[in-house]
Structures are given as C-alpha cells and as structure tokens.
Amino acid sequence: VTGSLPISLQSCQCVAWKPRPVGVWPGPGESQHVVAGYSDGTVRVFSVSRTEMELKMHPHAAALTAITYSTDGEMILSGGKDGTVAISSPRTGMTIHVLADHKGSPITVLQCTRKQYHDLGVEGGELWLATSSDRRVSVWASDWLQDKCELLDWLSFPAPAGPEGLDSLPPSLAAFCPWEHGVLVYVGFGLQKEALFYSLRKKQVLRKISLPAFATSLSLSPAAPFMAIGFGDRLLRLQPCPAGAPQDYAGHDDTVHFCRFAPSGRRLLTASHSAVLVWELTGA
C-alpha cells in the first residue's frame, strides 16, 4: 500500500478503475483514477497518485450498489439500491441521464463493452447492461457524444417462490461474453441451477450449463473461453465454455462473493468473508 484515499463518514459501497485508452500509457504527472459509490447516494472520483478526491456528484437519492466507467472513461454509470441508473460526466460533474426502468429493485451489475457502430442494428459505439436483484437485465446501446441511449433488449428470468428459511436469495448477475460477441451470460436464482447464454441477435437462450448450486459471483475470462463462478459453499469453479469438464477449487472460508479476472486473463482475484485469494492461471 503506497497511500490511502481520504476517509469519509459515509460507507463506500462499490468502486471501479477508470480505463485507459487501448495502447496508451499515462504520461508524466498523469494520475490514474478510481470512482466510488457511497451510501449517501454520492459518486466520488479520486486521483490515485495524489490520494485526493477530485470530484463529488450526487446523482442518487439512495445508497449506491454498482458503479462502472464507460469503455472510454468519459462517462460514469452508477446504480442505486432503489433501482435507478444514472449516467454522469466526470468532466462536467453533470448527470445527463437518470433511468428508472429497474426502479424498486437494487442494481447488482453494471457493465460496458465496445461494439461496432451499426452492430445489432442500432447506432452507438457502446453496449452496456444493468442487472437488478429481481432477475431483470436491460441492455442498452449508447452514443455518448450524441447523447443517445437506446434500450436494445429487456430480459426477465422466472423463478419459484423464495424457499423458506433463506434470508437472502442468490444475486442476479450478468456479463457480456468476451469470446462470443452479441451474447451475454446470466446466473441467478431461478427454476434451475444453471448459467444461461443469451443471444442479443437471435433474442433467445442459446445454451445452458448446469451448476452444482446457485452462483454467488461470476466473471468471464477476456483471454480464453471459460468463466469463474463462486458459490455459497466455499467453492470456486472454473468452467470451460461452451462445454468441458469443470475444475473445482476450495480454499475460501465462506461464500465466494466476488471473483474477477485480470485484463490479461492470466490471474483471477476472488474474495470471501475474510480471505482474498489471487490465482495464477497457467493454462489461460
């Protein structure tokens, strides 16, 4: 640890690194930035090198539950406990869109990915998705320079009544598939324990992969066709896609509530109650 960011009396709920342009490294004196979402509904941008807050915005009336940058780092997408999604500019400090399509259910995932301009029959250079805890996923096409944001698809996954004695249901999680364009992967509480591969072009589920339990975390490798899935019984699974024998690993002390591949795909970060593990993926 080389420094610490300013302490706030509010609780930090989520955080994301600002992406660098492809092939571009920071110049002398240039700082990398992180954006954080707080329990008071604020979004705060921090300089890592200067260890100071550079911008504070207040786009939400409820605590934040998810946050990310657009792929070019020019916009911040934030999701709240009340289901609202805000799109804000870190350059101007202004919130340009507030979307209430998921209102009433906390946002669990926000993710952006690049796209070809007319891919999927819509304009815009970026696709992004929002997932809420009620098993709904919305997919959007955006052109940030033209201030355009178009709903591309809306998914709602069925589930039985919540089982008795279960305090909280497994999270609803979705991610764009890096190795299969126009496809997203969804896991969550449902009729079956499975991962669903959904085609945005065909508007249908292409295939399903059975899981040993409902997933508690999900990450797709950017370098190879496999995904990491965490479970509530301290299990981490590496699953080849579209088919293949899974590899299961122990080592956590509780529910594997977080897993994330490094951009290279050669390392995987996972976390449970009091353990953070870094995995070296020699076969990636």
Side-chain angles (χ1 to χ4, degrees):
V1 177
T2 58
S4 60
L5 295 176
I7 296 175
S8 169
L9 296 179
Q10 298 295 329
S11 171
C12 180
Q13 307 288 87
C14 45
V15 66
W17 288 93
K18 181 179 181 179
R20 293 188 180 125
V22 177
V24 177
W25 293 95
E30 184 177 347
S31 174
Q32 193 166 4
H33 292 83
V34 295
V35 62
Y38 282 77
S39 57
D40 61 352
T42 59
V43 170
R44 312 182 195 195
V45 178
F46 296 92
S47 164
V48 175
S49 62
R50 291 189 292 271
T51 62
E52 65 182 17
M53 184 174 68
E54 293 188 345
L55 177 66
K56 179 179 178 180
M57 301 176 284
H58 202 158
H60 294 272
L64 270 76
T65 52
I67 199 163
T68 191
Y69 275 97
S70 61
T71 55
D72 60 6
E74 292 300 314
M75 293 293 169
I76 294 171
L77 288 73
S78 53
K81 189 175 182 180
D82 59 359
T84 60
V85 175
I87 301 168
S88 307
S89 168
R91 290 185 180 272
T92 66
M94 300 293 291
T95 296
I96 60 175
H97 290 291
V98 177
L99 307 174
D101 299 73
H102 290 268
K103 190 173 182 179
S105 185
I107 302 298
T108 54
V109 176
L110 290 169
Q111 187 193 9
C112 299
T113 187
R114 288 185 176 89
K115 62 179 280 292
Q116 295 181 356
Y117 194 77
H118 290 289
D119 192 21
L120 301 173
V122 293
E123 294 184 350
E126 185 154 296
L127 289 179
W128 61 274
L129 63 79
T131 308
S132 50
S133 60
D134 57 358
R135 303 173 305 281
R136 293 184 293 169
V137 181
S138 60
V139 183
W140 305 76
S142 292
D143 185 332
W144 306 121
L145 293 178
Q146 299 296 324
D147 196 22
K148 292 182 178 179
C149 191
E150 179 182 350
L151 180 63
L152 179 64
D153 210 337
W154 181 265
L155 314 178
S156 184
F157 296 93
E164 294 182 5
L166 190 61
D167 294 333
S168 61
L169 295 177
S172 302
L173 304 171
F176 290 111
C177 188
W179 61 84
E180 194 170 357
H181 296 301
V183 172
L184 63 83
V185 179
Y186 171 84
V187 296
F189 181 67
L191 301 176
Q192 303 292 333
K193 301 178 180 69
E194 58 192 2
L196 304 177
F197 287 72
Y198 177 86
S199 170
L200 295 169
R201 292 186 177 89
K202 297 181 178 180
K203 308 292 185 182
Q204 65 183 36
V205 174
L206 299 177
R207 57 187 173 274
K208 305 175 181 179
I209 295 180
S210 296
L211 302 176
F214 290 117
T216 54
S217 54
L218 171 72
S219 184
L220 278 63
S221 170
F226 65 92
M227 55 186 180
I229 310 169
F231 299 98
D233 56 358
R234 299 173 292 181
L235 178 71
L236 173 70
R237 168 167 288 191
L238 292 181
Q239 174 68 58
C241 301
Q247 305 172 55
D248 291 338
Y249 300 92
H252 294 86
D253 60 351
D254 206 333
T255 297
V256 185
H257 62 79
F258 179 87
C259 57
R260 183 72 51 83
F261 282 101
S264 67
R266 298 193 61 85
R267 287 185 174 87
L268 176 69
L269 176 71
T270 61
S272 56
H273 175 67
S274 60
V276 176
L277 304 180
V278 178
W279 306 78
E280 187 79 27
L281 305 175
T282 55

